Amino acid sequence: MAKKKFYVVWVGSEPGIYSTWDDAKTRIQGFPGAKYKSYTTMSEARAAFQAGYASSLQSTTTSGKGNRLVVKPRIGTDIPLPAWSVDAACSGVPGPMEYRGVDLATGTELFHQGPYPDGTNNIGEFLALVHALAQLHRRGDHQTTVYTDSRTALAWLRKKKAKTTLQETPRNAILFELIERAEQWLAAHQPKNKVLKWETDRWGEIPADFGRK
């Protein structure tokens, strides 16, 4: 049985705390810049709602570069390090979309982009993968493995093409610009880093997960 969760909506059509994802989703779907997050207990949700969205981004531990520690990695001994994980979150299809990368060894957030209006989760997962590979390429790091839990993003990466059916509009034009840049980067480079599927059943939620549903 799935664990009960409580959903805090700081920015949406009706900010508050909701006991089901469906109720929370109706308050954030299509709302520009929606801010929300899930919690496992009502007391945590109430405290987070009162403290405000900014407090949810804070951590008691930060890296030397000031990047926030977003998650304590729950990884098995069969996952070789160094490794990064990437993930995206999107409210609705289309909806506000953001993506990020997390270091599996430390839980440090390496990058975080968005939210972008009128995007999709598949687009976010694809952009996150290319972002991670490009960043590792710039560092000259070809040893770090990149994990994603998205089979679609892996397929798009292999084809070096985002096969999205999303229609371009003035609101999401920046996303299509990012997709074009990602495809151009893939056409010009041959990534040397391993890119693997994250096995959620074995290792739990991917560390870059936004924890929203």
Side-chain angles (χ1 to χ4, degrees):
M1 181 180 297
K3 292 182 179 179
K4 176 69 174 178
K5 288 188 177 183
F6 300 89
Y7 302 88
V8 175
V9 176
W10 290 280
V11 179
S13 61
E14 293 181 75
I17 301 172
Y18 299 91
S19 59
T20 70
W21 171 241
D22 286 341
D23 284 343
K25 185 167 65 173
T26 61
R27 274 74 179 185
I28 58 181
Q29 191 166 9
F31 194 94
K35 306 295 184 186
Y36 55 97
K37 188 176 181 180
S38 67
Y39 293 87
T40 55
T41 67
M42 176 58 82
S43 60
E44 289 177 337
R46 286 172 177 164
F49 183 66
Q50 293 175 358
Y53 176 71
S55 67
S56 74
L57 302 179
Q58 302 303 313
S59 170
T60 56
T61 306
T62 58
S63 73
K65 295 182 179 180
N67 295 338
R68 60 192 176 93
L69 183 67
V70 296
V71 63
K72 181 179 180 180
R74 294 177 296 160
I75 58 176
T77 56
D78 54 341
I79 301 180
L81 298 176
W84 291 4
S85 69
V86 298
D87 200 15
C90 187
S91 172
V93 184
M97 181 277 290
E98 56 192 311
Y99 68 82
R100 68 178 174 181
V102 169
D103 189 326
L104 265 65
T106 65
T108 303
E109 185 178 76
L110 300 160
F111 56 84
H112 184 174
Q113 300 294 315
Y116 301 103
D118 292 353
T120 69
N121 200 64
N122 285 337
I123 289 175
E125 299 270 15
F126 173 71
L127 292 177
L129 270 181
V130 180
H131 188 127
L133 291 171
Q135 189 164 313
L136 288 167
H137 177 81
R138 288 194 298 270
R139 295 184 179 188
D141 178 353
H142 304 305
Q143 304 304 313
T144 295
T145 300
V146 181
Y147 285 91
T148 175
D149 60 7
S150 172
R151 295 186 187 279
T152 298
L154 286 169
W156 289 2
L157 183 68
R158 288 193 296 270
K159 296 175 182 177
K160 299 187 176 185
K161 183 75 175 178
K163 297 288 187 177
T164 181
T165 58
L166 182 67
Q167 297 299 309
E168 183 175 359
T169 69
R171 280 175 52 82
N172 63 17
I174 186 173
L175 277 180
F176 283 84
E177 179 181 341
L178 292 174
I179 290 171
E180 183 179 3
R181 288 166 56 185
E183 292 173 344
Q184 289 175 348
W185 188 88
L186 289 173
H189 300 84
Q190 184 60 46
K192 298 180 180 179
N193 299 79
K194 290 182 180 179
V195 181
L196 301 177
K197 173 70 168 61
W198 180 262
E199 301 298 338
T200 304
D201 291 343
R202 295 169 59 191
W203 305 321
E205 290 292 343
I206 193 166
D209 180 67
F210 283 82
R212 291 178 179 167
K213 65 181 182 69

